[in-house]
Amino acid sequence: MTIKLPDLPYGKDALAPHVSASTLEFHHDKHHQAYVTNTNKLIAGTELADKSLEELIAIAAKSPDKKALFNNAAQTWNHTFLWHSMAPNGGGKPHGAIAERITQDFKGYDSFVEAFTAAATGQFGSGWAWLVLNGSKLEVTATTNADTPLVHGKVPLLTIDVWEHAYYLDYQNRRPDYVKTFLDKLVNWDFVNANLAHAK
Ligand code: MN3
């Protein structure tokens, strides 16, 4: 099957001023599109052409000669997950089931914020920070470049992209400000709750 670039779940200016329309235009229309295009180029005419995106990621993760496919397929998946991790008027304290789980596993929202901020600001170079379900427990983790918790047996619940292209137009080198804004203004807790419910 041909992998398709999904539309953003909101308008390009919906997250402004926290993430500008300009950032979303480059990030979705150029960066995400390029990962999709490259994935399709790498599988065209091969035995992998009919695999789903998730199958491609799993296969490429186990094949040292498919590093380029892994990078492009995983980045395709990670970015789609990222768009849904944010919402207009999002952020702040969680509600619903995830709120209880955060209290249980992190001893409160402030400790979760501390852990997520440390993972996102401490990731050296390009990568991602995640809230995941590891077995039955919530965990904050970071991955490098295109790496994704999907191939480490963990269930992704929330992600932030800390590649410079995700924030440089709006925040330049101030990654900590971007991470704080993501937590305070952008987190889509409905999406996190849906992922949590789906994982059970
Ligand atoms: Mn990105």
Side-chain angles (χ1 to χ4, degrees):
M1 67 184 68
T2 304
I3 307 300
K4 294 209 165 57
L5 177 71
D7 290 336
L8 285 171
Y10 31 70
K12 290 251 168 58
D13 56 356
L15 304 182
H18 315 303
V19 174
S20 65
S22 180
T23 289
L24 281 181
E25 192 172 332
F26 278 96
H27 203 176
H28 176 268
D29 298 1
K30 305 290 182 194
H31 290 272
H32 197 182
Q33 176 68 72
Y35 296 128
V36 172
T37 301
N38 289 331
T39 299
N40 284 319
K41 274 187 194 160
L42 288 162
I43 62 173
T46 77
E47 75 281 8
L48 298 176
D50 64 340
K51 301 292 185 196
S52 71
L53 184 60
E54 287 78 7
E55 288 171 328
L56 291 173
I57 293 167
I59 292 165
K62 293 184 196 133
S63 316
D65 63 326
K66 292 187 170 57
K67 190 71 187 160
L69 176 60
F70 178 80
N71 287 339
N72 284 286
Q75 282 295 79
T76 296
W77 192 94
N78 288 347
H79 280 89
T80 300
F81 197 81
L82 170 70
W83 309 137
H84 291 276
S85 289
M86 302 185 284
N89 306 310
K93 290 193 174 179
H95 52 264
I98 192 65
E100 289 168 35
R101 295 298 303 270
I102 283 175
T103 301
Q104 199 179 304
D105 292 354
F106 290 100
K107 307 196 191 321
Y109 175 69
D110 292 348
S111 305
F112 157 75
V113 165
E114 209 174 291
F116 193 86
T117 301
T121 58
Q123 169 59 37
F124 186 79
S126 296
W128 302 79
W130 306 82
L131 174 64
V132 300
L133 205 48
N134 184 8
S136 60
K137 232 175 146 44
L138 294 183
E139 186 179 285
V140 163
T141 186
T143 59
T144 302
N145 297 324
D147 197 14
T148 179
L150 282 183
V151 297
H152 302 289
K154 297 172 186 178
V155 179
L157 302 176
L158 172 74
T159 196
I160 181 172
D161 186 346
V162 296
W163 285 59
E164 282 187 348
H165 66 228
Y167 62 88
Y168 214 84
L169 293 177
D170 300 326
Y171 299 86
Q172 293 78 48
N173 60 326
R174 291 175 283 114
R175 193 196 287 187
D177 291 355
Y178 159 64
V179 174
K180 182 175 171 25
T181 303
F182 178 90
L183 286 164
D184 290 347
K185 306 288 186 187
L186 293 170
V187 173
N188 181 354
W189 289 115
D190 290 338
F191 178 63
V192 179
N193 271 314
N195 292 328
L196 184 64
H198 191 68
K200 280 172 187 168

PDB file of all heavy atoms in Angstrom, residues 27 31 35 75 79 82-83 128 161 163 165-166, ligand 1:
ATOM      1  N   HIS A  27       6.740  21.964   9.137  1.00  0.00           N
ATOM      2  CA  HIS A  27       6.879  20.698   9.852  1.00  0.00           C
ATOM      3  C   HIS A  27       6.005  19.601   9.228  1.00  0.00           C
ATOM      4  O   HIS A  27       6.450  18.469   9.047  1.00  0.00           O
ATOM      5  CB  HIS A  27       6.523  20.914  11.330  1.00  0.00           C
ATOM      6  CG  HIS A  27       7.111  19.910  12.251  1.00  0.00           C
ATOM      7  ND1 HIS A  27       6.970  19.994  13.608  1.00  0.00           N
ATOM      8  CD2 HIS A  27       7.842  18.783  12.035  1.00  0.00           C
ATOM      9  CE1 HIS A  27       7.594  18.971  14.175  1.00  0.00           C
ATOM     10  NE2 HIS A  27       8.126  18.217  13.247  1.00  0.00           N
ATOM     11  N   HIS A  31       8.629  18.532   6.252  1.00  0.00           N
ATOM     12  CA  HIS A  31       9.343  17.466   6.969  1.00  0.00           C
ATOM     13  C   HIS A  31       8.546  16.158   6.972  1.00  0.00           C
ATOM     14  O   HIS A  31       9.064  15.113   6.568  1.00  0.00           O
ATOM     15  CB  HIS A  31       9.643  17.889   8.417  1.00  0.00           C
ATOM     16  CG  HIS A  31      10.682  18.960   8.523  1.00  0.00           C
ATOM     17  ND1 HIS A  31      12.033  18.688   8.602  1.00  0.00           N
ATOM     18  CD2 HIS A  31      10.564  20.301   8.564  1.00  0.00           C
ATOM     19  CE1 HIS A  31      12.708  19.832   8.681  1.00  0.00           C
ATOM     20  NE2 HIS A  31      11.840  20.823   8.666  1.00  0.00           N
ATOM     21  N   TYR A  35       9.291  12.435   4.918  1.00  0.00           N
ATOM     22  CA  TYR A  35       9.406  11.089   5.506  1.00  0.00           C
ATOM     23  C   TYR A  35       8.453  10.116   4.800  1.00  0.00           C
ATOM     24  O   TYR A  35       8.808   8.963   4.535  1.00  0.00           O
ATOM     25  CB  TYR A  35       9.096  11.128   7.009  1.00  0.00           C
ATOM     26  CG  TYR A  35      10.073  11.952   7.832  1.00  0.00           C
ATOM     27  CD1 TYR A  35       9.621  12.943   8.700  1.00  0.00           C
ATOM     28  CD2 TYR A  35      11.457  11.723   7.760  1.00  0.00           C
ATOM     29  CE1 TYR A  35      10.506  13.705   9.464  1.00  0.00           C
ATOM     30  CE2 TYR A  35      12.334  12.477   8.515  1.00  0.00           C
ATOM     31  CZ  TYR A  35      11.861  13.468   9.369  1.00  0.00           C
ATOM     32  OH  TYR A  35      12.746  14.213  10.125  1.00  0.00           O
ATOM     33  N   GLN A  75       9.664   7.977  11.555  1.00  0.00           N
ATOM     34  CA  GLN A  75       9.387   9.416  11.603  1.00  0.00           C
ATOM     35  C   GLN A  75       7.997   9.732  11.055  1.00  0.00           C
ATOM     36  O   GLN A  75       7.322  10.632  11.540  1.00  0.00           O
ATOM     37  CB  GLN A  75      10.456  10.203  10.826  1.00  0.00           C
ATOM     38  CG  GLN A  75      11.767  10.375  11.576  1.00  0.00           C
ATOM     39  CD  GLN A  75      11.613  11.215  12.826  1.00  0.00           C
ATOM     40  OE1 GLN A  75      11.142  10.741  13.864  1.00  0.00           O
ATOM     41  NE2 GLN A  75      11.999  12.487  12.755  1.00  0.00           N
ATOM     42  N   HIS A  79       5.377  11.498  13.713  1.00  0.00           N
ATOM     43  CA  HIS A  79       4.790  12.815  13.444  1.00  0.00           C
ATOM     44  C   HIS A  79       3.268  12.776  13.454  1.00  0.00           C
ATOM     45  O   HIS A  79       2.637  13.700  13.964  1.00  0.00           O
ATOM     46  CB  HIS A  79       5.341  13.399  12.135  1.00  0.00           C
ATOM     47  CG  HIS A  79       6.695  14.005  12.312  1.00  0.00           C
ATOM     48  ND1 HIS A  79       7.844  13.269  12.168  1.00  0.00           N
ATOM     49  CD2 HIS A  79       7.086  15.249  12.688  1.00  0.00           C
ATOM     50  CE1 HIS A  79       8.886  14.052  12.428  1.00  0.00           C
ATOM     51  NE2 HIS A  79       8.454  15.261  12.738  1.00  0.00           N
ATOM     52  N   LEU A  82       2.400  12.863  16.919  1.00  0.00           N
ATOM     53  CA  LEU A  82       2.659  14.200  17.478  1.00  0.00           C
ATOM     54  C   LEU A  82       1.500  15.156  17.226  1.00  0.00           C
ATOM     55  O   LEU A  82       1.094  15.890  18.132  1.00  0.00           O
ATOM     56  CB  LEU A  82       3.935  14.780  16.855  1.00  0.00           C
ATOM     57  CG  LEU A  82       4.198  16.266  17.157  1.00  0.00           C
ATOM     58  CD1 LEU A  82       4.564  16.479  18.620  1.00  0.00           C
ATOM     59  CD2 LEU A  82       5.294  16.815  16.247  1.00  0.00           C
ATOM     60  N   TRP A  83       0.962  15.182  15.992  1.00  0.00           N
ATOM     61  CA  TRP A  83      -0.119  16.140  15.683  1.00  0.00           C
ATOM     62  C   TRP A  83      -1.292  15.921  16.643  1.00  0.00           C
ATOM     63  O   TRP A  83      -1.898  16.870  17.105  1.00  0.00           O
ATOM     64  CB  TRP A  83      -0.589  16.026  14.232  1.00  0.00           C
ATOM     65  CG  TRP A  83       0.496  16.079  13.204  1.00  0.00           C
ATOM     66  CD1 TRP A  83       0.627  15.284  12.085  1.00  0.00           C
ATOM     67  CD2 TRP A  83       1.620  16.988  13.151  1.00  0.00           C
ATOM     68  NE1 TRP A  83       1.745  15.625  11.379  1.00  0.00           N
ATOM     69  CE2 TRP A  83       2.381  16.662  12.003  1.00  0.00           C
ATOM     70  CE3 TRP A  83       2.063  18.028  13.959  1.00  0.00           C
ATOM     71  CZ2 TRP A  83       3.550  17.342  11.653  1.00  0.00           C
ATOM     72  CZ3 TRP A  83       3.237  18.702  13.619  1.00  0.00           C
ATOM     73  CH2 TRP A  83       3.954  18.362  12.489  1.00  0.00           C
ATOM     74  N   TRP A 128      12.863  12.628  20.648  1.00  0.00           N
ATOM     75  CA  TRP A 128      11.489  12.735  21.123  1.00  0.00           C
ATOM     76  C   TRP A 128      11.448  12.429  22.620  1.00  0.00           C
ATOM     77  O   TRP A 128      12.236  11.611  23.102  1.00  0.00           O
ATOM     78  CB  TRP A 128      10.611  11.691  20.417  1.00  0.00           C
ATOM     79  CG  TRP A 128      10.611  11.806  18.929  1.00  0.00           C
ATOM     80  CD1 TRP A 128      11.585  11.361  18.069  1.00  0.00           C
ATOM     81  CD2 TRP A 128       9.613  12.416  18.109  1.00  0.00           C
ATOM     82  NE1 TRP A 128      11.245  11.663  16.770  1.00  0.00           N
ATOM     83  CE2 TRP A 128      10.038  12.303  16.764  1.00  0.00           C
ATOM     84  CE3 TRP A 128       8.400  13.046  18.385  1.00  0.00           C
ATOM     85  CZ2 TRP A 128       9.290  12.798  15.697  1.00  0.00           C
ATOM     86  CZ3 TRP A 128       7.651  13.536  17.318  1.00  0.00           C
ATOM     87  CH2 TRP A 128       8.098  13.418  16.003  1.00  0.00           C
ATOM     88  N   ASP A 161       8.062  16.433  20.031  1.00  0.00           N
ATOM     89  CA  ASP A 161       9.192  16.405  19.099  1.00  0.00           C
ATOM     90  C   ASP A 161      10.208  17.425  19.581  1.00  0.00           C
ATOM     91  O   ASP A 161       9.887  18.609  19.706  1.00  0.00           O
ATOM     92  CB  ASP A 161       8.650  16.773  17.700  1.00  0.00           C
ATOM     93  CG  ASP A 161       9.679  16.650  16.590  1.00  0.00           C
ATOM     94  OD1 ASP A 161      10.881  16.530  16.894  1.00  0.00           O
ATOM     95  OD2 ASP A 161       9.270  16.688  15.414  1.00  0.00           O
ATOM     96  N   TRP A 163      13.270  17.686  17.977  1.00  0.00           N
ATOM     97  CA  TRP A 163      14.143  18.076  16.869  1.00  0.00           C
ATOM     98  C   TRP A 163      14.049  19.603  16.750  1.00  0.00           C
ATOM     99  O   TRP A 163      12.968  20.171  16.933  1.00  0.00           O
ATOM    100  CB  TRP A 163      13.661  17.457  15.552  1.00  0.00           C
ATOM    101  CG  TRP A 163      13.922  15.994  15.367  1.00  0.00           C
ATOM    102  CD1 TRP A 163      13.495  14.977  16.159  1.00  0.00           C
ATOM    103  CD2 TRP A 163      14.645  15.390  14.281  1.00  0.00           C
ATOM    104  NE1 TRP A 163      13.913  13.771  15.635  1.00  0.00           N
ATOM    105  CE2 TRP A 163      14.617  14.006  14.483  1.00  0.00           C
ATOM    106  CE3 TRP A 163      15.307  15.902  13.159  1.00  0.00           C
ATOM    107  CZ2 TRP A 163      15.232  13.098  13.604  1.00  0.00           C
ATOM    108  CZ3 TRP A 163      15.912  14.992  12.279  1.00  0.00           C
ATOM    109  CH2 TRP A 163      15.880  13.611  12.513  1.00  0.00           C
ATOM    110  N   HIS A 165      13.748  21.455  14.260  1.00  0.00           N
ATOM    111  CA  HIS A 165      12.757  21.942  13.286  1.00  0.00           C
ATOM    112  C   HIS A 165      11.364  22.090  13.917  1.00  0.00           C
ATOM    113  O   HIS A 165      10.512  22.774  13.374  1.00  0.00           O
ATOM    114  CB  HIS A 165      12.713  21.048  12.032  1.00  0.00           C
ATOM    115  CG  HIS A 165      12.211  19.651  12.252  1.00  0.00           C
ATOM    116  ND1 HIS A 165      12.852  18.530  11.775  1.00  0.00           N
ATOM    117  CD2 HIS A 165      11.115  19.183  12.893  1.00  0.00           C
ATOM    118  CE1 HIS A 165      12.170  17.458  12.112  1.00  0.00           C
ATOM    119  NE2 HIS A 165      11.110  17.825  12.783  1.00  0.00           N
ATOM    120  N   ALA A 166      11.139  21.436  15.061  1.00  0.00           N
ATOM    121  CA  ALA A 166       9.835  21.502  15.716  1.00  0.00           C
ATOM    122  C   ALA A 166       9.610  22.843  16.423  1.00  0.00           C
ATOM    123  O   ALA A 166       8.471  23.244  16.641  1.00  0.00           O
ATOM    124  CB  ALA A 166       9.695  20.370  16.728  1.00  0.00           C
TER     125      ALA A 166
HETATM  126 MN   MN3 B   1       9.634  16.711  13.489  1.00  0.00          MN
END
